[in-house]
Amino acid sequence: MTIQQFLDWLLATHQLPLPQADVDHVMLDVMTQANSEFAPEKFSLGNDDDQADDQVNNLALAFASEARQGRFDSSLPQWREATANRIKAEIESLVDRFFDDKTVRQALPEKTSLAHVKMLVSTLTMRIYDQFRKTPKAWTKEAVEHVMTGYFVSNLLITAEAYTTIDPILTAFVDFMVSKNYIRPVVGKRVQRGIKEAAPKMIALAQDSDNYGPAKTVGMAMLAAGLDPANPVAADKFLNDYHEVEQVRRAVQGLPYHEDDVYQPDDAYRTRPHVDTFEGQQWQLATATQLHHQMIKYARLLWIDEDSADMRGAWAQSDIVDALVTMGDAMYAEYLETPETWIADNFYMYLEHVVDDRPLIDFQRILAGGTYLIVYLLKTGRMVQEREEQLMEAFVDAEGHLLQLNSPFRKTTFQPHRKQKKHKKPKKKKQWKR
């Protein structure tokens, strides 16, 4: 879309308080002095800069939305709100009469509702008008196919199985429009051909969620979670959580993301005390840095994992990321071990230190994030079964140690599944560097 089109849209929607002559004059200046500095003060939207920015952003979003829907396309006749409202009202009235006809209704797929029929027909009607400027009396085969294999797949909030009902419903409705002389028989025939040719393609495309648009992806996720998209409170909370997960996913994939939604832990590992050598290994800043960033990635991968919904519901992203990164940094600083090489005895000693010397909430966070992480590493092939079992046993024993201290903490997450054993302290002395 061009600047000229944007200005034309502002004029058409009465959101730019300037006459057409002034707009034409501005555009002439822009085109003849393309390298000159534009003077926005001529078109101030208010005295408050933030308010002006908000208004500009809202206008740009509205224009982009209209443009995506095809309502502003210089190659087509002008989109008219009066026409859109008229055909919408006419079609909805026809749908009511259509559904009131018992003979017609009995021929529809089982359990077909009036709302479902109205949604399908109204969507087809408005999309064809938005994108092709065609009212039902002038529908074409190509327009019907385009909407059914495009917008119907990417945006309709229905299950993949429900797409099989679209062909018979639309076919019956087109026949009904012809029988009521709303459209001519020749139009009805070409529309029916479009429906028959588009239906199998549409059904095939709808089986692949990669063909869904962002709005449908979110809506289907809500339905899968058992939430009603029409419930504003549930929808708002779900959308906030979903947005955060998506931003974390983008961060993991190396894509641009909203920094406010992706927690970034500090770099305290650089200055924390650490061993100089341990069991023949040398502490390396490069390794500590690499491990620190790997733990951040593990924490984020865990946060977006489909099996982590309960954890996300109980803890903030910052709680889990901090717990896991701190744990990983500490295990390397004290034992020069990475998650793939964590030794159960050393791991237990770290947990025992957390129980003895740190606030209870710290252990609870490590328990929540750590157990999920170990299961995740096993599930993704990054940890062997034997090590997973040993580390989980260390968590169980650490909980037991906590209970022995008469802590108010109640063990509810993991129950001991084997007899506790006494963890041995590392045999070799550690040389500390502070």
Side-chain angles (χ1 to χ4, degrees), residues 1-2 4 20 39 53 65 70 107 153 165 172 199 204 213 221 240 259 261 296 299 327 339 364-365:
M1 294 298 171
T2 65
Q4 178 70 66
Q20 180 69 57
D53 288 343
S65 176
V153 173
T165 68
N240 288 336
E259 292 183 0
D261 296 306
I296 294 175
M327 181 172 67
Q364 291 174 318
R365 289 171 181 151

Side-chain angles (χ1 to χ4, degrees), residues 155-182:
N155 286 73
L156 288 191
L157 196 58
I158 59 176
T159 64
E161 295 75 19
Y163 279 88
T164 59
T165 68
I166 294 178
D167 180 356
I169 289 174
L170 293 183
T171 296
F173 184 74
V174 171
D175 287 341
F176 183 80
M177 287 196 293
V178 172
S179 70
K180 299 303 178 184
N181 298 317
Y182 184 71

Side-chain angles (χ1 to χ4, degrees), residues 382-434:
R382 295 177 171 92
M383 183 174 287
V384 297
Q385 179 79 40
E386 181 180 6
R387 189 180 304 277
E388 183 267 349
E389 291 178 355
Q390 292 172 349
L391 295 176
M392 292 297 270
E393 182 178 353
F395 268 118
V396 172
D397 293 346
E399 286 187 280
H401 175 64
L402 180 62
L403 290 175
Q404 290 174 2
L405 297 178
N406 297 318
S407 168
F409 176 67
R410 299 179 63 186
K411 184 161 59 175
T412 58
T413 308
F414 290 92
Q415 297 297 326
H417 55 282
R418 53 176 66 87
K419 184 178 180 180
Q420 288 191 15
K421 68 176 182 180
K422 184 176 181 181
H423 289 267
K424 299 178 181 179
K425 293 183 181 293
K427 294 180 180 179
K428 295 190 177 182
K429 294 183 179 179
K430 297 181 287 188
Q431 298 178 17
W432 289 86
K433 180 178 181 181
R434 296 182 183 274

